Amino acid sequence: MRMIWGLWRWRRNPLRRKTDVLEACAALIAAALILLVAPAVGWTSGSLAHGALVKAAQKQRAERHPLSATVVKVLPHPPIDSDPETASARDAHRRVLARWTGPDGSRHEGTLGAHPGADPGERFRIWTDDHGRLVGRPLDTATATTHAVLAGIGAAGVTTALVDGARRLVVWRLMRRRYTQWDIAWERAGQDWGRADADS
């Protein structure tokens, strides 16, 4: 608002330079683009991302199946690592040898991660494809929505940064133009600048 009021006051100011008006116009256009275009880009990007992620989640739910695996044997912990992040990841899961039957009736056995207190004979949930091969848990709707919102915010942020970068580039060019004009004015003033009898 201050920018608009400043531009309005400059209409008839005798000290107004053309570059001042151009700089104010660049700021006004940039503000309008940030307020109008950036949210539209963010909304559009978020909506497109949400649609794509929901389709991907539906496809994953159709292709992935929850099954129960049975613990055959609890495997020993790997050697202790001094890295605290690795240690916490190791403590959160227990490696077990497990068996499961795929949706197509095929039998499988492999090393899996189970909860720390897993015992032989215990059953726990895993996700497999149609042939019983292990896959990740399918994307749920809440996660898809979160990713879409983040994509929209990111797109709006990038748009804002691009518009502000363009405004800064315009202001930089205008400043260079002002400095050039000042240099020319100083050269015109010549050696008489500051002398008491310069006007006589």
Side-chain angles (χ1 to χ4, degrees):
M1 206 61 195
R2 174 189 276 173
M3 194 171 27
I4 297 169
W5 176 245
L7 188 61
W8 181 259
R9 277 183 16 206
W10 280 350
R11 287 176 312 138
R12 295 191 181 99
N13 190 330
L15 298 176
R16 181 195 66 190
R17 296 167 294 193
K18 188 177 180 182
T19 55
D20 293 330
V21 176
L22 291 174
E23 184 177 344
C25 287
L28 189 62
I29 291 168
L33 289 174
I34 288 171
L35 291 174
L36 299 174
V37 175
V41 169
W43 179 264
T44 303
S45 300
S47 298
L48 292 173
H50 187 260
L53 288 169
V54 166
K55 284 182 185 176
Q58 290 172 346
K59 184 178 179 185
Q60 287 178 1
R61 280 196 294 271
E63 295 174 348
R64 300 179 185 188
H65 311 283
L67 298 175
S68 291
T70 305
V71 176
V72 176
K73 178 171 78 168
V74 177
L75 301 176
H77 276 299
I80 295 176
D81 192 349
S82 60
D83 184 8
E85 291 184 12
T86 308
S88 62
R90 184 192 70 234
D91 294 340
H93 292 86
R94 189 72 193 261
R95 304 299 288 170
V96 297
L97 181 66
R99 287 191 185 125
W100 66 93
T101 303
D104 60 352
S106 59
R107 297 189 174 272
H108 301 270
E109 185 174 289
T111 303
L112 303 175
H115 64 87
D119 293 318
E122 188 174 340
R123 298 174 69 83
F124 63 98
R125 190 174 186 179
I126 61 171
W127 290 87
T128 69
D129 64 8
D130 294 333
H131 304 291
R133 292 186 293 259
L134 289 172
V135 293
R137 181 188 181 105
L139 187 68
D140 60 7
T141 307
T143 305
T145 302
T146 302
H147 287 309
V149 168
L150 291 174
I153 291 171
V158 168
T159 304
T160 300
L162 289 174
V163 169
D164 188 53
R167 182 195 64 81
R168 288 174 185 268
L169 181 62
V170 168
V171 170
W172 176 74
R173 296 283 302 194
L174 290 172
M175 289 298 292
R176 289 195 57 177
R177 189 169 165 188
R178 281 182 196 148
Y179 292 149
T180 302
Q181 290 171 350
W182 287 345
D183 289 341
I184 293 169
W186 276 108
E187 285 177 13
R188 284 186 190 152
Q191 299 299 319
D192 292 337
W193 184 264
R195 283 177 43 193
D197 61 343
D199 292 334
S200 56

